[in-house]
Amino acid sequence: MAKEYEFEGTPVAPLAIIACPGAEELANKIDQRLVNLYNGISDNEKKTFIIQSDCPRFTNGDAKGIVHDSVRGTDLYIICDPGNHGVTYQMFGQELPLTPDEHYANLKRLICACTGKPQRITVVMPMLYGGRQHRRTARESLDCAMMLQELHSYGVADLITFDAHDPRVQNAVPLMGFDNYFAYYQMLKALLKRFPDLKLHKDTAMVVSPDEGAMTRNVFYASVLGLDLGMFYKRRDYSTIINGRNPIVAHEYIGLPVMGMNVFVADDMIATGDSILKLAKEIKEKGANKVFLSATFSLFTEGVEKFNEAYAAGYFDAVLSTNLSYRIPELKKCEWFVEADMSKYIALILAASNYNESVSKLLDPSSKIKNLVAMYENNFSKGEI
């Protein structure tokens, strides 16, 4: 294990993992990383940290949580993917997909099944349940805040998430841990692996934020890479609500010209994809060279066909995302899709937490990004890529 990730002392308790239904793929990858890591720093060889569990359904739709092994005295991490609609169940003879509400209910069932026996419970929820409903602008529910308060009342000590839509939602639970991580380094690593000749210099590349809400992550990219930053401002029709949101009337660009530049756009999620495709088209029509779209969560709620058409038209060169949440099967077959594996990063986060070590090096990947870019530039100049 790299020196910067060596841990001192002993774990606070034996580490254990439970995967909620739909989170098994990511949990298994994290588990394998942890097995390799712990076997390298401990004499007690482990084959897995995963505790077997299940959430079976009755024919009328009722369910229950079952934990098949002991979790007494463990440092337990429960991984939940509220966005996995690929998990289905039978109800009155019909096959139905699990909704975010049902994934959250399964999480609560498994916490309840542990009956308070773990020494500490941490929920790993890469995409926050109810995260898009993070603030009240009318007589509306505050789903994410209610979830956090409920988990806290269940005895959950910490929640680990990624790229929260608005991390200020943690103010709902000031006495519960809330760690919000980002996939900055992994995204750029995946980008440079696919496009090793890409020059991330100020005279050839720039960063563009798709809207004001995404400025924080795009400011980080621009600052670390030393690139100029532009922004699109979304003008919305607030007198109308379509599919739960105010429709976008127009995108207005603010910033330096993108003519001849390689443009990197970062957002938290791609849902329908309408707004980011309009943005990509506008950037391309303004004379941009290559356009790279990135989002931490690739939902693609309306499929990939419109992206295939936009890619064929030359509006963008790649879409980058992570494996933090469910990806529809057809997405993985698209030549324009580039996936960043987050399992190693999460494994290091869990190990640091298990050892009660500081995660500051994991939170700020600035130096790693600079080393990564320098490595690719040096190897490319030597003809080694």
Side-chain angles (χ1 to χ4, degrees):
M1 180 176 196
K3 186 175 180 180
E4 61 178 315
Y5 297 126
E6 287 181 352
F7 302 119
E8 298 178 358
T10 58
V12 294
L15 189 148
I17 296 173
I18 287 180
C20 291
E24 295 90 350
E25 179 185 357
L26 180 60
N28 287 332
K29 287 188 175 183
I30 295 170
D31 178 56
Q32 190 56 55
R33 298 276 190 179
L34 285 169
V35 167
N36 295 336
L37 170 59
Y38 275 66
N39 287 347
I41 60 178
S42 172
D43 295 331
N44 299 323
E45 187 170 333
K46 293 282 292 184
K47 292 184 178 180
T48 183
F49 291 98
I50 292 180
I51 299 293
Q52 295 302 313
S53 63
D54 196 11
C55 290
R57 293 264 173 179
F58 299 99
T59 54
N60 70 333
D62 284 345
K64 63 179 177 180
I66 304 174
V67 176
H68 296 291
D69 300 304
S70 174
V71 292
R72 187 181 298 273
T74 61
D75 186 14
L76 180 62
Y77 296 84
I78 306 179
I79 303 175
C80 178
D81 180 10
N84 191 343
H85 59 91
V87 181
T88 61
Y89 67 96
Q90 292 288 327
M91 178 177 172
F92 290 100
Q94 301 180 63
E95 187 172 359
L96 303 174
L98 259 64
T99 66
D101 291 343
E102 289 165 314
H103 280 292
Y104 176 48
N106 281 339
L107 169 64
K108 292 188 289 183
R109 290 181 180 111
L110 290 172
I111 293 174
C112 180
C114 293
T115 61
K117 295 301 188 292
Q119 180 168 323
R120 181 173 66 179
I121 297 178
T122 299
V123 170
V124 181
M125 188 183 288
M127 185 172 70
L128 274 181
Y129 166 80
R132 299 180 75 177
Q133 181 52 27
H134 60 284
R135 62 183 178 182
R136 175 177 286 155
T137 57
R139 286 186 291 274
E140 301 173 329
S141 61
L142 292 171
D143 297 38
C144 191
M146 290 176 64
M147 174 203 66
L148 293 174
Q149 290 190 348
E150 196 167 22
L151 291 181
H152 187 224
S153 71
Y154 284 7
V156 173
D158 297 282
L159 185 138
I160 294 172
T161 191
F162 284 81
D163 206 345
H165 196 67
D166 189 340
R168 290 175 295 182
V169 73
Q170 67 185 288
N171 294 337
V173 283
L175 298 181
M176 186 178 89
F178 184 99
D179 295 320
N180 184 37
Y181 295 88
F182 293 87
Y184 297 130
Y185 173 77
Q186 290 76 14
M187 286 287 204
L188 289 177
K189 183 178 180 180
L191 174 65
L192 292 174
K193 187 175 181 179
R194 175 68 69 90
F195 301 92
D197 59 338
L198 183 65
K199 300 292 191 298
L200 296 176
H201 297 158
K202 192 172 184 178
D203 55 343
T204 60
M206 65 183 298
V207 177
V208 171
S209 177
D211 54 42
E212 61 275 20
M215 280 296 288
T216 299
R217 66 182 65 83
N218 285 281
V219 165
F220 179 86
Y221 280 117
S223 299
V224 172
L225 297 172
L227 305 179
D228 288 323
L229 175 68
M231 186 192 84
F232 273 90
Y233 165 66
K234 293 179 180 178
R235 277 200 296 121
R236 295 180 179 270
D237 179 6
Y238 286 98
S239 65
T240 307
I241 296 178
I242 300 176
N243 294 329
R245 61 180 182 173
N246 302 109
I248 298 169
V249 178
H251 285 87
E252 306 290 349
Y253 177 69
I254 304 171
L256 295 173
V258 298
M259 176 69 72
M261 304 292 280
N262 296 319
V263 177
F264 183 81
V265 181
D267 209 348
D268 60 340
M269 68 175 65
I270 295 176
T272 64
D274 290 338
S275 59
I276 203 165
L277 287 179
K278 289 178 182 177
L279 177 149
K281 182 179 179 182
E282 284 199 39
I283 291 176
K284 204 68 176 180
E285 289 175 347
K286 292 179 183 294
N289 180 24
K290 292 183 178 180
V291 177
F292 303 102
L293 310 174
S294 73
T296 307
F297 306 106
S298 49
L299 307 184
F300 288 86
T301 57
E302 295 182 358
V304 299
E305 187 56 37
K306 66 179 74 173
F307 279 82
N308 287 334
E309 294 173 359
Y311 179 70
Y315 295 147
F316 68 90
D317 293 84
V319 173
L320 296 95
S321 190
T322 71
N323 60 343
L324 289 171
S325 187
Y326 177 72
R327 287 89 62 219
I328 56 177
E330 54 266 37
L331 179 61
K332 300 178 183 181
K333 301 175 184 178
C334 297
E335 63 175 320
W336 43 263
F337 183 65
V338 181
E339 184 170 282
D341 181 19
M342 300 296 294
S343 61
K344 180 180 179 181
Y345 189 29
I346 298 177
L348 291 171
I349 293 170
L350 300 195
S353 177
N354 183 230
Y355 274 82
N356 264 352
E357 293 278 343
S358 171
V359 295
S360 57
K361 292 180 181 179
L362 298 171
L363 279 167
D364 185 6
S366 302
S367 58
K368 289 187 66 178
I369 289 175
K370 291 178 180 178
N371 292 337
L372 173 73
V373 173
M375 180 190 74
Y376 269 88
E377 288 184 351
N378 291 337
N379 289 343
F380 186 79
S381 64
K382 297 176 182 177
E384 296 178 2
I385 294 180

